[in-house]
Each structure stands twice: as C-alpha cells, then as structure tokens.
Short mmCIF file of all heavy atoms in Angstrom, two decimals:
data_model
loop_
_atom_site.label_atom_id
_atom_site.label_comp_id
_atom_site.label_asym_id
_atom_site.label_seq_id
_atom_site.Cartn_x
_atom_site.Cartn_y
_atom_site.Cartn_z
N ALA A 216 17.56 -1.94 -14.49
CA ALA A 216 16.73 -2.88 -15.21
C ALA A 216 16.15 -3.75 -14.12
O ALA A 216 14.81 -4.07 -14.14
CB ALA A 216 17.37 -3.76 -16.27
N ARG A 217 16.89 -4.24 -13.23
CA ARG A 217 16.41 -5.16 -12.13
C ARG A 217 15.46 -4.42 -11.20
O ARG A 217 14.44 -4.99 -10.82
CB ARG A 217 17.60 -5.77 -11.29
CG ARG A 217 18.51 -6.73 -12.22
CD ARG A 217 19.41 -7.42 -11.35
NE ARG A 217 20.47 -6.66 -10.55
CZ ARG A 217 21.61 -6.33 -11.06
NH1 ARG A 217 21.92 -6.82 -12.37
NH2 ARG A 217 22.41 -5.66 -10.42
N GLN A 218 15.78 -3.12 -10.88
CA GLN A 218 14.91 -2.28 -10.12
C GLN A 218 13.66 -1.96 -10.76
O GLN A 218 12.61 -2.12 -10.11
CB GLN A 218 15.71 -1.01 -9.72
CG GLN A 218 16.90 -1.19 -8.80
CD GLN A 218 17.66 0.11 -8.74
OE1 GLN A 218 17.75 1.03 -9.66
NE2 GLN A 218 18.49 0.23 -7.60
N PHE A 219 13.80 -1.69 -12.06
CA PHE A 219 12.45 -1.39 -12.81
C PHE A 219 11.53 -2.69 -12.90
O PHE A 219 10.42 -2.58 -12.80
CB PHE A 219 12.87 -0.91 -14.13
CG PHE A 219 11.57 -0.50 -14.94
CD1 PHE A 219 10.59 0.29 -14.39
CD2 PHE A 219 11.43 -0.81 -16.28
CE1 PHE A 219 9.42 0.64 -15.15
CE2 PHE A 219 10.39 -0.37 -17.05
CZ PHE A 219 9.43 0.31 -16.50
N ARG A 220 12.20 -3.86 -13.09
CA ARG A 220 11.30 -5.07 -13.18
C ARG A 220 10.58 -5.34 -11.85
O ARG A 220 9.52 -5.72 -11.85
CB ARG A 220 12.23 -6.28 -13.54
CG ARG A 220 11.49 -7.49 -13.83
CD ARG A 220 12.39 -8.70 -14.16
NE ARG A 220 11.70 -9.98 -14.34
CZ ARG A 220 12.13 -11.09 -14.54
NH1 ARG A 220 13.59 -11.28 -14.62
NH2 ARG A 220 11.41 -12.20 -14.78
N ASP A 221 11.46 -5.07 -10.81
CA ASP A 221 10.77 -5.25 -9.49
C ASP A 221 9.52 -4.32 -9.28
O ASP A 221 8.44 -4.69 -8.77
CB ASP A 221 11.72 -5.09 -8.39
CG ASP A 221 11.12 -5.35 -7.00
OD1 ASP A 221 10.74 -6.32 -6.58
OD2 ASP A 221 11.11 -4.31 -6.19
N ILE A 222 9.62 -2.99 -9.74
CA ILE A 222 8.67 -2.07 -9.70
C ILE A 222 7.49 -2.58 -10.38
O ILE A 222 6.28 -2.43 -10.03
CB ILE A 222 9.14 -0.70 -10.20
CG1 ILE A 222 10.09 -0.07 -9.19
CG2 ILE A 222 7.84 0.26 -10.48
CD1 ILE A 222 9.43 0.53 -7.94
N LEU A 223 7.66 -3.06 -11.75
CA LEU A 223 6.52 -3.59 -12.51
C LEU A 223 5.92 -4.76 -11.93
O LEU A 223 4.69 -4.79 -12.05
CB LEU A 223 7.16 -3.85 -13.89
CG LEU A 223 7.74 -2.82 -14.71
CD1 LEU A 223 8.19 -3.33 -16.18
CD2 LEU A 223 6.65 -1.67 -14.97
N GLU A 224 6.55 -5.68 -11.33
CA GLU A 224 6.04 -6.88 -10.83
C GLU A 224 5.17 -6.52 -9.56
O GLU A 224 4.23 -7.23 -9.15
CB GLU A 224 7.15 -7.77 -10.34
CG GLU A 224 7.75 -8.50 -11.57
CD GLU A 224 8.91 -9.39 -11.28
OE1 GLU A 224 9.44 -9.20 -10.10
OE2 GLU A 224 9.41 -10.13 -11.95
N ASN A 225 5.39 -5.33 -8.96
CA ASN A 225 4.62 -4.80 -7.86
C ASN A 225 3.78 -3.65 -8.12
O ASN A 225 3.38 -2.84 -7.27
CB ASN A 225 5.56 -4.54 -6.65
CG ASN A 225 6.22 -5.77 -6.15
OD1 ASN A 225 5.53 -6.56 -5.39
ND2 ASN A 225 7.48 -6.01 -6.41
N ALA A 226 3.40 -3.44 -9.37
CA ALA A 226 2.71 -2.26 -9.90
C ALA A 226 1.21 -2.23 -9.19
O ALA A 226 0.69 -1.19 -9.10
CB ALA A 226 2.51 -2.23 -11.33
N ASP A 227 0.79 -3.37 -8.79
CA ASP A 227 -0.54 -3.49 -8.11
C ASP A 227 -0.56 -2.57 -6.80
O ASP A 227 -1.62 -2.23 -6.36
CB ASP A 227 -1.00 -4.96 -7.80
CG ASP A 227 -0.01 -5.67 -6.99
OD1 ASP A 227 1.20 -5.24 -6.95
OD2 ASP A 227 -0.36 -6.78 -6.56
N ARG A 228 0.56 -2.33 -6.14
CA ARG A 228 0.71 -1.60 -5.13
C ARG A 228 0.09 -0.08 -5.32
O ARG A 228 -0.34 0.57 -4.48
CB ARG A 228 2.15 -1.45 -4.49
CG ARG A 228 2.62 -2.82 -3.95
CD ARG A 228 4.04 -2.75 -3.59
NE ARG A 228 4.67 -3.91 -3.18
CZ ARG A 228 5.97 -4.19 -2.88
NH1 ARG A 228 6.75 -3.20 -2.88
NH2 ARG A 228 6.31 -5.39 -2.41
N GLU A 229 0.33 0.27 -6.59
CA GLU A 229 -0.09 1.58 -7.09
C GLU A 229 -1.59 1.54 -7.68
O GLU A 229 -2.06 2.48 -8.12
CB GLU A 229 0.84 2.19 -8.00
CG GLU A 229 2.17 2.31 -7.68
CD GLU A 229 2.47 3.29 -6.56
OE1 GLU A 229 1.58 4.21 -6.34
OE2 GLU A 229 3.50 3.31 -5.93
N GLY A 230 -2.17 0.41 -7.49
CA GLY A 230 -3.51 0.24 -8.11
C GLY A 230 -3.52 0.03 -9.54
O GLY A 230 -4.43 0.11 -10.28
N LEU A 231 -2.31 -0.33 -10.04
CA LEU A 231 -2.14 -0.71 -11.52
C LEU A 231 -2.04 -2.27 -11.75
O LEU A 231 -1.95 -2.96 -10.84
CB LEU A 231 -0.89 -0.02 -12.00
CG LEU A 231 -0.90 1.51 -11.87
CD1 LEU A 231 0.38 2.10 -12.18
CD2 LEU A 231 -1.97 2.21 -12.67
N GLU A 232 -2.01 -2.57 -12.99
CA GLU A 232 -2.08 -4.07 -13.52
C GLU A 232 -0.64 -4.41 -13.96
O GLU A 232 -0.22 -3.96 -15.01
CB GLU A 232 -2.98 -4.28 -14.56
CG GLU A 232 -4.52 -4.34 -14.04
CD GLU A 232 -4.62 -5.42 -13.06
OE1 GLU A 232 -4.35 -6.65 -13.30
OE2 GLU A 232 -5.06 -5.09 -12.04
N PRO A 233 0.11 -5.26 -13.17
CA PRO A 233 1.43 -5.60 -13.62
C PRO A 233 1.46 -6.29 -15.07
O PRO A 233 2.33 -6.08 -15.79
CB PRO A 233 1.88 -6.68 -12.52
CG PRO A 233 1.05 -6.33 -11.38
CD PRO A 233 -0.26 -5.79 -11.78
N LYS A 234 0.36 -7.03 -15.47
CA LYS A 234 0.30 -7.64 -16.78
C LYS A 234 0.27 -6.64 -17.86
O LYS A 234 0.39 -7.09 -19.08
CB LYS A 234 -0.91 -8.60 -16.81
CG LYS A 234 -2.27 -7.88 -16.66
CD LYS A 234 -3.42 -8.85 -16.75
CE LYS A 234 -4.83 -8.20 -16.68
NZ LYS A 234 -5.81 -9.11 -16.64
N SER A 235 0.17 -5.31 -17.53
CA SER A 235 0.01 -4.34 -18.71
C SER A 235 1.40 -4.05 -19.09
O SER A 235 1.53 -3.29 -20.09
CB SER A 235 -0.64 -3.10 -18.25
OG SER A 235 -2.04 -3.28 -17.75
N TYR A 236 2.51 -4.54 -18.46
CA TYR A 236 3.77 -4.05 -18.75
C TYR A 236 4.81 -5.16 -19.30
O TYR A 236 5.94 -5.08 -18.92
CB TYR A 236 4.39 -3.39 -17.52
CG TYR A 236 3.42 -2.37 -16.94
CD1 TYR A 236 2.75 -2.54 -15.71
CD2 TYR A 236 3.11 -1.20 -17.61
CE1 TYR A 236 1.89 -1.57 -15.30
CE2 TYR A 236 2.16 -0.36 -17.13
CZ TYR A 236 1.53 -0.51 -15.86
OH TYR A 236 0.58 0.36 -15.47
N HIS A 237 4.30 -5.99 -20.13
CA HIS A 237 5.15 -6.95 -20.93
C HIS A 237 5.96 -7.90 -19.97
O HIS A 237 6.88 -8.48 -20.42
CB HIS A 237 6.02 -6.28 -21.81
CG HIS A 237 5.49 -5.22 -22.62
ND1 HIS A 237 4.18 -5.07 -23.22
CD2 HIS A 237 5.95 -3.83 -22.89
CE1 HIS A 237 4.06 -3.96 -23.82
NE2 HIS A 237 5.16 -3.08 -23.56
N LEU A 238 5.36 -8.16 -18.82
CA LEU A 238 6.35 -8.91 -17.82
C LEU A 238 6.56 -10.42 -18.27
O LEU A 238 7.71 -10.87 -18.08
CB LEU A 238 5.69 -8.97 -16.42
CG LEU A 238 5.81 -7.61 -15.61
CD1 LEU A 238 4.94 -7.67 -14.39
CD2 LEU A 238 7.29 -7.53 -15.27
N LYS A 239 5.60 -11.00 -18.95
CA LYS A 239 5.86 -12.37 -19.40
C LYS A 239 6.98 -12.40 -20.58
O LYS A 239 7.87 -13.17 -20.57
CB LYS A 239 4.56 -13.04 -19.93
CG LYS A 239 3.67 -13.41 -18.78
CD LYS A 239 2.39 -14.17 -19.35
CE LYS A 239 1.52 -14.66 -18.26
NZ LYS A 239 0.27 -15.33 -18.84
N SER A 240 6.87 -11.45 -21.53
CA SER A 240 7.75 -11.38 -22.48
C SER A 240 9.23 -10.94 -21.93
O SER A 240 10.20 -11.46 -22.42
CB SER A 240 7.33 -10.27 -23.55
OG SER A 240 6.09 -10.61 -24.14
N ILE A 241 9.22 -9.99 -20.96
CA ILE A 241 10.39 -9.66 -20.34
C ILE A 241 11.17 -10.87 -19.81
O ILE A 241 12.28 -10.94 -19.86
CB ILE A 241 10.18 -8.51 -19.33
CG1 ILE A 241 9.90 -7.25 -20.07
CG2 ILE A 241 11.46 -8.36 -18.39
CD1 ILE A 241 9.43 -6.20 -19.13
N ALA A 242 10.39 -11.65 -19.09
CA ALA A 242 10.90 -12.86 -18.30
C ALA A 242 11.57 -13.86 -19.43
O ALA A 242 12.53 -14.48 -19.20
CB ALA A 242 9.81 -13.54 -17.58
N ARG A 243 10.99 -13.89 -20.64
CA ARG A 243 11.51 -14.87 -21.65
C ARG A 243 12.83 -14.37 -22.20
O ARG A 243 13.53 -15.24 -22.61
CB ARG A 243 10.45 -15.00 -22.74
CG ARG A 243 9.21 -15.87 -22.44
CD ARG A 243 8.51 -16.29 -23.53
NE ARG A 243 7.82 -15.20 -24.22
CZ ARG A 243 6.58 -14.82 -23.99
NH1 ARG A 243 5.85 -15.47 -23.14
NH2 ARG A 243 6.13 -13.77 -24.60
N GLN A 244 13.08 -13.07 -22.30
CA GLN A 244 14.37 -12.59 -22.77
C GLN A 244 15.29 -12.29 -21.71
O GLN A 244 16.58 -12.23 -21.97
CB GLN A 244 14.13 -11.24 -23.48
CG GLN A 244 12.81 -11.17 -24.36
CD GLN A 244 12.71 -12.09 -25.51
OE1 GLN A 244 13.85 -12.47 -26.00
NE2 GLN A 244 11.61 -12.63 -25.83
N TRP A 245 14.96 -12.33 -20.45
CA TRP A 245 15.86 -11.94 -19.37
C TRP A 245 17.01 -12.93 -19.20
O TRP A 245 16.89 -14.16 -19.13
CB TRP A 245 14.95 -11.97 -18.00
CG TRP A 245 15.75 -11.35 -16.86
CD1 TRP A 245 16.61 -11.83 -16.03
CD2 TRP A 245 15.66 -9.95 -16.58
NE1 TRP A 245 16.91 -10.93 -15.12
CE2 TRP A 245 16.38 -9.61 -15.40
CE3 TRP A 245 14.91 -8.85 -17.12
CZ2 TRP A 245 16.57 -8.50 -14.92
CZ3 TRP A 245 15.11 -7.55 -16.50
CH2 TRP A 245 15.80 -7.42 -15.41
N GLY A 246 18.29 -12.37 -19.12
CA GLY A 246 19.45 -13.08 -18.92
C GLY A 246 20.11 -13.72 -20.17
O GLY A 246 21.11 -14.32 -20.01
N SER A 247 19.47 -13.57 -21.25
CA SER A 247 20.17 -14.19 -22.46
C SER A 247 21.44 -13.48 -22.92
O SER A 247 21.49 -12.36 -22.73
CB SER A 247 19.09 -14.24 -23.63
OG SER A 247 19.63 -14.64 -24.78
N ILE A 248 22.29 -14.25 -23.53
CA ILE A 248 23.56 -13.68 -24.02
C ILE A 248 23.40 -13.28 -25.43
O ILE A 248 24.31 -12.74 -26.09
CB ILE A 248 24.69 -14.60 -23.85
CG1 ILE A 248 24.49 -15.87 -24.67
CG2 ILE A 248 24.99 -14.95 -22.47
CD1 ILE A 248 25.83 -16.78 -24.69
N HIS A 249 22.28 -13.75 -26.15
CA HIS A 249 22.09 -13.46 -27.56
C HIS A 249 21.72 -12.12 -27.73
O HIS A 249 20.81 -11.50 -27.15
CB HIS A 249 20.91 -14.57 -28.08
CG HIS A 249 21.31 -15.86 -28.02
ND1 HIS A 249 22.23 -16.48 -28.99
CD2 HIS A 249 21.18 -16.92 -27.14
CE1 HIS A 249 22.40 -17.77 -28.78
NE2 HIS A 249 21.84 -17.98 -27.56
N ALA A 250 22.36 -11.47 -28.80
CA ALA A 250 22.13 -10.11 -28.99
C ALA A 250 20.67 -9.80 -29.35
O ALA A 250 20.12 -8.88 -29.01
CB ALA A 250 23.05 -9.63 -30.19
N ALA A 251 20.05 -10.68 -30.23
CA ALA A 251 18.74 -10.45 -30.54
C ALA A 251 17.74 -10.46 -29.35
O ALA A 251 16.93 -9.54 -29.32
CB ALA A 251 18.23 -11.49 -31.62
N LYS A 252 17.90 -11.33 -28.50
CA LYS A 252 17.09 -11.39 -27.36
C LYS A 252 17.34 -10.17 -26.38
O LYS A 252 16.46 -9.68 -25.70
CB LYS A 252 17.19 -12.72 -26.44
CG LYS A 252 16.68 -13.88 -27.20
CD LYS A 252 16.49 -15.10 -26.28
CE LYS A 252 15.74 -16.26 -27.03
NZ LYS A 252 15.60 -17.37 -26.05
N ARG A 253 18.69 -9.78 -26.27
CA ARG A 253 19.05 -8.69 -25.49
C ARG A 253 18.41 -7.42 -26.07
O ARG A 253 17.85 -6.52 -25.29
CB ARG A 253 20.48 -8.51 -25.34
CG ARG A 253 21.06 -9.59 -24.37
CD ARG A 253 22.52 -9.15 -23.92
NE ARG A 253 23.47 -9.27 -25.00
CZ ARG A 253 24.15 -8.22 -25.53
NH1 ARG A 253 23.81 -6.99 -25.15
NH2 ARG A 253 25.05 -8.43 -26.58
N ALA A 254 18.36 -7.26 -27.43
CA ALA A 254 17.70 -6.11 -27.98
C ALA A 254 16.23 -6.13 -27.69
O ALA A 254 15.66 -5.10 -27.44
CB ALA A 254 17.95 -6.15 -29.50
N ARG A 255 15.58 -7.34 -27.94
CA ARG A 255 14.16 -7.31 -27.57
C ARG A 255 13.92 -6.98 -26.15
O ARG A 255 12.85 -6.30 -25.83
CB ARG A 255 13.62 -8.77 -27.82
CG ARG A 255 13.55 -9.13 -29.28
CD ARG A 255 12.76 -10.42 -29.51
NE ARG A 255 12.88 -10.90 -30.89
CZ ARG A 255 13.81 -11.87 -31.25
NH1 ARG A 255 14.64 -12.48 -30.40
NH2 ARG A 255 13.80 -12.18 -32.61
#
C-alpha cells in the first residue's frame, strides 16, 4: 500500500495525472484504526 501510494503520487512521471487516483480521499483515511475508514 505504501509503495502503491508513492507510485500514484508520482504518476506524472508516466505522463498521467495523480489527481485521477483518489489521492486526497486516500490521505484522509490513511493510518486510521477505525474499521470503517480502513475499509474505505
């Protein structure tokens, strides 16, 4: 998961748009101990 998030944050290296891959939403749920947030 950490490796994939890093790939997504640097997707512009492949000529792609990082914002296309839910990065803001991922950041809001990241590291939570709550089951609902971990599921999201």
Side-chain angles (χ1 to χ4, degrees):
R217 294 195 295 271
Q218 293 170 333
F219 184 42
R220 185 182 181 184
D221 182 65
I222 289 285
L223 294 180
E224 289 174 343
N225 293 282
D227 57 341
R228 295 175 183 173
E229 305 290 342
L231 301 172
E232 282 301 305
K234 65 183 180 183
S235 299
Y236 308 113
H237 318 314
L238 281 171
K239 288 185 178 180
S240 298
I241 287 171
R243 286 195 292 267
Q244 317 300 325
W245 194 268
S247 175
I248 65 169
H249 294 280
K252 286 193 172 184
R253 288 196 289 113
R255 291 191 188 96

